[in-house]
Amino acid sequence: MSQRELVVLGTASQVPTRHRNHNGYLLRWDGEGLLFDPGEGTQRQMLHAGVSATQLTRIAVTHFHGDHSLGLAGVIQRINLDRVPHPVDAYYPASGQVFFDRLRQATAFHETAELRPHPITEPGPLEAPGAPFELAAVRLSHPVDSFGYRLTEPDSTRLLPARLAELGLRGPAVGELQREGRIELDGRTVTLAEVSEVRRGQRFAFVMDTRLCPGVGELAEGADLLVAEATFLEGERQLAEDHGHLTAAQAAQAAAEAGVRTLVLTHFSQRYPDLTGHLAEARKYFDGELVVAEDLARIPVPPRN
Protein backbone atom coordinates (compact mmCIF):
# COMPACT_ATOMS: atom_id res chain seq x y z
CA MET A 1 0.00 0.00 0.00
CA SER A 2 1.33 3.44 -0.91
CA GLN A 3 2.13 5.91 1.84
CA ARG A 4 2.52 9.60 1.17
CA GLU A 5 3.04 11.94 4.09
CA LEU A 6 5.18 14.77 5.36
CA VAL A 7 7.05 14.09 8.59
CA VAL A 8 7.98 17.42 10.21
CA LEU A 9 11.31 17.07 11.99
CA GLY A 10 11.79 20.73 12.93
CA THR A 11 10.08 24.10 12.47
CA ALA A 12 12.47 26.74 13.87
CA SER A 13 14.14 29.46 11.84
CA GLN A 14 17.66 30.68 12.56
CA VAL A 15 17.91 29.24 16.09
CA PRO A 16 16.12 26.34 17.79
CA THR A 17 13.89 26.95 20.79
CA ARG A 18 12.80 24.79 23.70
CA HIS A 19 9.90 23.53 21.62
CA ARG A 20 11.18 23.77 18.05
CA ASN A 21 14.12 22.00 16.51
CA HIS A 22 15.95 23.43 13.54
CA ASN A 23 14.41 22.73 10.13
CA GLY A 24 13.99 19.24 8.77
CA TYR A 25 11.24 17.72 6.64
CA LEU A 26 10.90 14.17 5.36
CA LEU A 27 8.51 13.52 2.50
CA ARG A 28 7.55 9.85 2.37
CA TRP A 29 6.33 9.07 -1.12
CA ASP A 30 5.62 5.37 -1.55
CA GLY A 31 9.10 3.83 -1.57
CA GLU A 32 10.92 7.16 -1.67
CA GLY A 33 12.12 9.26 1.28
CA LEU A 34 13.07 12.85 0.46
CA LEU A 35 14.78 14.77 3.26
CA PHE A 36 14.56 18.55 2.87
CA ASP A 37 16.81 21.08 4.63
CA PRO A 38 18.34 19.06 7.48
CA GLY A 39 19.30 21.54 10.20
CA GLU A 40 21.06 20.73 13.47
CA GLY A 41 19.43 17.92 15.41
CA THR A 42 17.82 16.29 12.40
CA GLN A 43 19.34 12.91 13.15
CA ARG A 44 17.87 12.88 16.67
CA GLN A 45 14.49 14.12 15.42
CA MET A 46 14.46 11.23 12.94
CA LEU A 47 14.84 8.88 15.90
CA HIS A 48 11.91 10.51 17.70
CA ALA A 49 9.80 10.31 14.54
CA GLY A 50 10.60 6.65 13.92
CA VAL A 51 12.47 7.40 10.69
CA SER A 52 15.59 5.44 9.78
CA ALA A 53 18.47 6.44 7.52
CA THR A 54 17.67 3.49 5.26
CA GLN A 55 14.39 5.20 4.33
CA LEU A 56 16.25 8.13 2.77
CA THR A 57 16.61 8.07 -1.00
CA ARG A 58 17.17 11.80 -1.69
CA ILE A 59 18.33 14.89 0.19
CA ALA A 60 17.40 18.36 -1.03
CA VAL A 61 18.97 21.51 0.41
CA THR A 62 17.40 24.84 -0.57
CA HIS A 63 20.37 27.00 0.49
CA PHE A 64 23.41 26.99 2.72
CA HIS A 65 22.34 28.88 5.80
CA GLY A 66 23.04 26.90 8.94
CA ASP A 67 19.46 26.28 10.03
CA HIS A 68 18.87 24.50 6.71
CA SER A 69 22.09 22.53 6.31
CA LEU A 70 24.18 22.04 9.46
CA GLY A 71 22.54 18.67 10.09
CA LEU A 72 23.77 17.41 6.74
CA ALA A 73 27.09 16.22 8.17
CA GLY A 74 25.43 13.96 10.73
CA VAL A 75 22.84 12.63 8.30
CA ILE A 76 25.51 11.72 5.74
CA GLN A 77 27.58 9.94 8.36
CA ARG A 78 24.50 8.09 9.63
CA ILE A 79 23.73 6.93 6.08
CA ASN A 80 27.20 5.42 6.00
CA LEU A 81 27.10 4.04 9.55
CA ASP A 82 23.85 2.22 8.75
CA ARG A 83 25.26 1.01 5.41
CA VAL A 84 22.29 2.20 3.41
CA PRO A 85 22.21 -0.28 0.52
CA HIS A 86 20.90 2.06 -2.18
CA PRO A 87 22.38 5.26 -3.67
CA VAL A 88 21.23 8.51 -2.08
CA ASP A 89 20.94 11.54 -4.37
CA ALA A 90 21.80 14.97 -2.93
CA TYR A 91 20.56 18.24 -4.48
CA TYR A 92 21.84 21.70 -3.54
CA PRO A 93 22.81 25.06 -5.10
CA ALA A 94 26.08 24.70 -6.99
CA SER A 95 27.27 28.04 -5.60
CA GLY A 96 27.42 26.35 -2.19
CA GLN A 97 29.65 23.48 -3.34
CA VAL A 98 32.37 24.44 -0.86
CA PHE A 99 29.86 24.21 2.02
CA PHE A 100 28.52 20.87 0.79
CA ASP A 101 32.06 19.49 0.59
CA ARG A 102 32.90 20.74 4.08
CA LEU A 103 29.77 19.23 5.58
CA ARG A 104 30.22 15.96 3.72
CA GLN A 105 33.75 15.57 5.06
CA ALA A 106 33.30 17.41 8.37
CA THR A 107 34.99 14.63 10.38
CA ALA A 108 36.61 11.27 9.80
CA PHE A 109 34.27 8.36 9.06
CA HIS A 110 34.20 5.19 6.99
CA GLU A 111 32.30 5.57 3.72
CA THR A 112 30.13 2.54 3.00
CA ALA A 113 27.23 4.10 1.08
CA GLU A 114 26.93 5.84 -2.28
CA LEU A 115 26.04 9.55 -2.15
CA ARG A 116 25.42 11.06 -5.59
CA PRO A 117 25.79 14.88 -5.65
CA HIS A 118 23.60 16.95 -8.01
CA PRO A 119 24.73 20.60 -7.76
CA ILE A 120 22.08 22.93 -9.23
CA THR A 121 23.29 25.71 -11.50
CA GLU A 122 20.01 26.71 -13.15
CA PRO A 123 16.32 26.22 -12.42
CA GLY A 124 14.53 23.42 -14.23
CA PRO A 125 14.16 19.63 -14.21
CA LEU A 126 16.58 17.66 -12.06
CA GLU A 127 18.05 14.24 -12.67
CA ALA A 128 16.18 11.83 -10.41
CA PRO A 129 17.30 8.27 -11.20
CA GLY A 130 14.63 5.66 -10.55
CA ALA A 131 12.06 8.13 -9.24
CA PRO A 132 8.33 7.61 -10.01
CA PHE A 133 7.98 11.39 -10.29
CA GLU A 134 9.58 14.42 -11.89
CA LEU A 135 11.69 16.66 -9.67
CA ALA A 136 12.39 20.31 -10.49
CA ALA A 137 14.17 23.26 -8.90
CA VAL A 138 12.87 26.83 -9.02
CA ARG A 139 14.92 29.88 -8.09
CA LEU A 140 13.79 31.87 -5.04
CA SER A 141 14.78 35.30 -3.67
CA HIS A 142 17.05 35.23 -0.62
CA PRO A 143 20.40 36.87 0.27
CA VAL A 144 22.19 33.68 -0.85
CA ASP A 145 21.35 31.36 -3.75
CA SER A 146 18.17 29.49 -2.88
CA PHE A 147 16.06 26.99 -4.80
CA GLY A 148 12.65 25.60 -4.01
CA TYR A 149 11.67 22.09 -5.07
CA ARG A 150 8.62 20.73 -6.85
CA LEU A 151 7.66 17.08 -7.23
CA THR A 152 5.19 16.13 -9.97
CA GLU A 153 3.69 12.70 -10.44
CA PRO A 154 2.81 11.87 -14.07
CA ASP A 155 -0.88 11.69 -14.91
CA SER A 156 -2.36 8.22 -15.21
CA THR A 157 -5.49 6.63 -16.69
CA ARG A 158 -8.45 5.44 -14.63
CA LEU A 159 -10.95 3.00 -16.13
CA LEU A 160 -14.68 3.78 -15.79
CA PRO A 161 -16.45 0.57 -14.63
CA ALA A 162 -19.89 1.81 -15.68
CA ARG A 163 -18.70 2.50 -19.21
CA LEU A 164 -16.96 -0.90 -19.42
CA ALA A 165 -20.16 -2.64 -18.31
CA GLU A 166 -22.23 -0.66 -20.79
CA LEU A 167 -20.07 -1.93 -23.64
CA GLY A 168 -19.86 -5.47 -22.24
CA LEU A 169 -16.11 -5.32 -21.74
CA ARG A 170 -14.72 -7.61 -19.04
CA GLY A 171 -11.87 -9.97 -18.17
CA PRO A 172 -9.09 -10.47 -20.75
CA ALA A 173 -10.67 -7.95 -23.11
CA VAL A 174 -10.08 -5.16 -20.59
CA GLY A 175 -6.44 -6.17 -20.23
CA GLU A 176 -5.99 -6.14 -24.00
CA LEU A 177 -7.58 -2.70 -24.21
CA GLN A 178 -5.20 -1.36 -21.57
CA ARG A 179 -2.17 -2.85 -23.33
CA GLU A 180 -3.07 -1.95 -26.90
CA GLY A 181 -5.11 1.21 -26.40
CA ARG A 182 -7.93 -0.13 -28.60
CA ILE A 183 -9.93 -3.30 -29.19
CA GLU A 184 -12.36 -4.59 -31.83
CA LEU A 185 -15.83 -5.15 -30.36
CA ASP A 186 -18.93 -6.12 -32.34
CA GLY A 187 -17.56 -4.77 -35.56
CA ARG A 188 -16.27 -1.45 -34.23
CA THR A 189 -13.14 -0.15 -32.58
CA VAL A 190 -13.34 0.83 -28.93
CA THR A 191 -10.50 3.04 -27.73
CA LEU A 192 -9.14 3.33 -24.22
CA ALA A 193 -10.14 7.00 -24.15
CA GLU A 194 -13.82 6.00 -24.48
CA VAL A 195 -13.82 3.99 -21.25
CA SER A 196 -11.37 5.92 -19.09
CA GLU A 197 -10.50 9.32 -17.74
CA VAL A 198 -7.23 11.03 -16.92
CA ARG A 199 -6.24 10.78 -13.27
CA ARG A 200 -4.15 13.82 -12.41
CA GLY A 201 -0.83 13.06 -10.77
CA GLN A 202 -0.14 14.54 -7.36
CA ARG A 203 2.06 17.56 -6.82
CA PHE A 204 4.20 18.59 -3.85
CA ALA A 205 6.06 21.87 -3.43
CA PHE A 206 8.67 23.07 -0.95
CA VAL A 207 9.12 26.83 -0.58
CA MET A 208 11.69 27.84 1.97
CA ASP A 209 13.57 31.08 2.70
CA THR A 210 12.44 33.67 0.16
CA ARG A 211 10.69 36.98 -0.22
CA LEU A 212 7.74 37.10 -2.61
CA CYS A 213 8.94 36.40 -6.15
CA PRO A 214 7.66 34.61 -9.29
CA GLY A 215 9.25 31.37 -8.09
CA VAL A 216 6.84 31.12 -5.16
CA GLY A 217 3.81 31.00 -7.46
CA GLU A 218 5.55 28.69 -9.92
CA LEU A 219 6.31 26.17 -7.20
CA ALA A 220 2.87 26.40 -5.57
CA GLU A 221 0.79 26.15 -8.75
CA GLY A 222 -1.81 23.40 -8.32
CA ALA A 223 0.09 21.74 -5.46
CA ASP A 224 -1.75 19.12 -3.43
CA LEU A 225 0.61 19.84 -0.54
CA LEU A 226 2.66 23.03 -0.19
CA VAL A 227 5.22 23.49 2.56
CA ALA A 228 5.95 27.20 2.90
CA GLU A 229 8.02 29.28 5.25
CA ALA A 230 6.10 31.83 7.33
CA THR A 231 8.90 33.34 9.37
CA PHE A 232 7.05 36.54 10.29
CA LEU A 233 3.60 38.07 10.68
CA GLU A 234 2.37 41.05 8.67
CA GLY A 235 3.42 43.49 11.39
CA GLU A 236 7.01 42.62 10.45
CA ARG A 237 6.53 42.65 6.68
CA GLN A 238 9.39 45.07 6.07
CA LEU A 239 11.71 42.94 8.20
CA ALA A 240 10.64 39.90 6.17
CA GLU A 241 11.37 41.74 2.93
CA ASP A 242 14.76 42.97 4.13
CA HIS A 243 15.90 39.50 5.17
CA GLY A 244 14.33 37.51 2.32
CA HIS A 245 11.38 35.88 4.07
CA LEU A 246 7.60 35.50 3.83
CA THR A 247 4.88 36.43 6.26
CA ALA A 248 2.06 34.02 7.06
CA ALA A 249 -0.31 36.24 5.06
CA GLN A 250 1.97 36.26 2.02
CA ALA A 251 2.33 32.47 2.08
CA ALA A 252 -1.44 32.06 2.39
CA GLN A 253 -2.18 34.51 -0.42
CA ALA A 254 0.28 32.75 -2.72
CA ALA A 255 -1.29 29.38 -1.89
CA ALA A 256 -4.81 30.66 -2.54
CA GLU A 257 -3.83 32.18 -5.88
CA ALA A 258 -2.10 28.95 -6.92
CA GLY A 259 -5.02 26.66 -6.04
CA VAL A 260 -3.17 24.74 -3.34
CA ARG A 261 -5.17 22.05 -1.53
CA THR A 262 -3.20 21.77 1.73
CA LEU A 263 -0.88 24.50 3.02
CA VAL A 264 1.69 23.76 5.72
CA LEU A 265 3.24 26.82 7.39
CA THR A 266 6.63 26.43 9.08
CA HIS A 267 10.06 28.06 9.74
CA PHE A 268 8.91 30.33 12.57
CA SER A 269 10.96 33.10 14.15
CA GLN A 270 11.79 32.63 17.82
CA ARG A 271 9.93 35.91 18.52
CA TYR A 272 6.65 33.97 18.20
CA PRO A 273 6.32 31.45 21.06
CA ASP A 274 2.58 31.35 20.31
CA LEU A 275 1.57 30.63 16.71
CA THR A 276 -2.14 31.39 16.94
CA GLY A 277 -1.41 34.64 15.10
CA HIS A 278 0.02 32.72 12.14
CA LEU A 279 -3.10 30.59 11.91
CA ALA A 280 -5.45 33.56 12.15
CA GLU A 281 -3.50 35.63 9.65
CA ALA A 282 -3.25 32.84 7.08
CA ARG A 283 -6.92 31.91 7.44
CA LYS A 284 -7.92 35.38 6.23
CA TYR A 285 -6.58 34.53 2.78
CA PHE A 286 -6.61 30.72 2.45
CA ASP A 287 -9.72 28.58 2.88
CA GLY A 288 -8.20 25.19 2.05
CA GLU A 289 -6.70 22.72 4.50
CA LEU A 290 -4.30 24.75 6.66
CA VAL A 291 -1.69 23.36 9.07
CA VAL A 292 0.61 25.36 11.32
CA ALA A 293 3.38 22.80 11.63
CA GLU A 294 4.63 21.41 14.91
CA ASP A 295 7.75 19.33 15.43
CA LEU A 296 7.19 15.61 14.82
CA ALA A 297 3.80 16.16 13.18
CA ARG A 298 2.80 13.78 10.38
CA ILE A 299 0.75 15.40 7.63
CA PRO A 300 -0.77 13.20 4.91
CA VAL A 301 -0.63 14.18 1.27
CA PRO A 302 -4.29 14.71 0.28
CA PRO A 303 -5.69 11.70 -1.61
CA ARG A 304 -6.03 12.02 -5.35
CA ASN A 305 -9.36 13.18 -6.66
Side-chain angles (χ1 to χ4, degrees):
M1 176 183 251
S2 67
Q3 182 172 19
R4 298 181 180 181
E5 65 174 359
L6 178 74
V7 182
V8 180
L9 302 173
T11 59
S13 71
Q14 195 170 45
V15 296
T17 72
R18 286 187 176 89
H19 305 290
R20 300 180 202 141
N21 197 75
H22 263 159
N23 283 282
Y25 311 88
L26 175 72
L27 178 66
R28 301 180 67 186
W29 191 279
D30 302 341
E32 292 266 349
L34 294 87
L35 177 63
F36 293 90
D37 281 6
E40 286 182 79
T42 292
Q43 190 179 172
R44 189 165 185 268
Q45 292 295 93
M46 288 170 61
L47 179 66
H48 284 306
V51 175
S52 70
T54 56
Q55 292 176 285
L56 303 181
T57 57
R58 304 179 200 278
I59 301 171
V61 175
T62 59
H63 66 290
F64 284 100
H65 277 157
D67 53 328
H68 297 260
S69 62
L70 282 176
L72 188 60
V75 169
I76 289 175
Q77 293 192 25
R78 186 58 181 270
I79 287 169
N80 285 274
L81 179 65
D82 289 0
R83 299 178 179 271
V84 171
H86 52 260
V88 177
D89 295 282
Y91 306 89
Y92 54 89
S95 61
Q97 185 68 54
V98 62
F99 305 121
F100 179 82
D101 292 341
R102 287 173 182 168
L103 289 164
R104 184 177 184 180
Q105 300 294 341
T107 65
F109 68 100
H110 183 53
E111 291 193 52
T112 64
E114 182 182 1
L115 185 69
R116 301 188 294 206
H118 299 272
I120 303 168
T121 56
E122 296 291 338
L126 300 172
E127 184 181 359
F133 47 71
E134 298 168 0
L135 190 63
V138 175
R139 191 177 297 280
L140 295 171
S141 176
H142 198 52
V144 300
D145 273 355
S146 185
F147 289 93
Y149 295 94
R150 181 176 169 90
L151 181 156
T152 304
E153 180 184 35
D155 293 341
S156 60
T157 300
R158 175 166 49 196
L159 293 175
L160 301 172
R163 184 61 177 148
L164 291 172
E166 182 183 330
L167 294 173
L169 281 167
R170 62 178 64 85
V174 175
E176 181 181 346
L177 179 60
Q178 289 180 294
R179 288 191 305 274
E180 305 297 332
R182 62 184 62 240
I183 192 172
E184 295 299 321
L185 180 68
D186 297 332
R188 79 176 186 91
T189 300
V190 177
T191 65
L192 184 59
E194 291 179 67
V195 296
S196 66
E197 62 182 5
V198 174
R199 191 181 192 191
R200 178 184 177 275
Q202 288 185 298
R203 291 157 172 77
F204 168 85
F206 189 76
V207 175
M208 212 39 64
D209 294 18
T210 182
R211 54 180 64 87
L212 274 182
C213 65
V216 174
E218 183 179 346
L219 285 161
E221 184 62 36
D224 295 284
L225 182 64
L226 167 65
V227 179
E229 70 124 314
T231 309
F232 297 105
L233 293 176
E234 277 295 281
E236 304 286 0
R237 181 185 276 236
Q238 190 57 54
L239 187 63
E241 175 70 21
D242 293 344
H243 292 275
H245 288 292
L246 297 176
T247 67
Q250 288 174 323
Q253 286 176 296
E257 292 169 4
V260 169
R261 296 176 63 196
T262 296
L263 169 63
V264 178
L265 299 180
T266 188
H267 193 269
F268 307 115
S269 168
Q270 63 180 317
R271 69 183 59 208
Y272 304 111
D274 180 0
L275 299 175
T276 55
H278 285 71
L279 179 62
E281 188 170 285
R283 184 52 77 196
K284 293 178 183 177
Y285 303 97
F286 183 74
D287 60 5
E289 184 70 22
L290 177 61
V291 180
V292 176
E294 297 180 354
D295 286 24
L296 304 181
R298 307 179 89 95
I299 303 165
V301 177
R304 286 185 288 188
N305 294 325

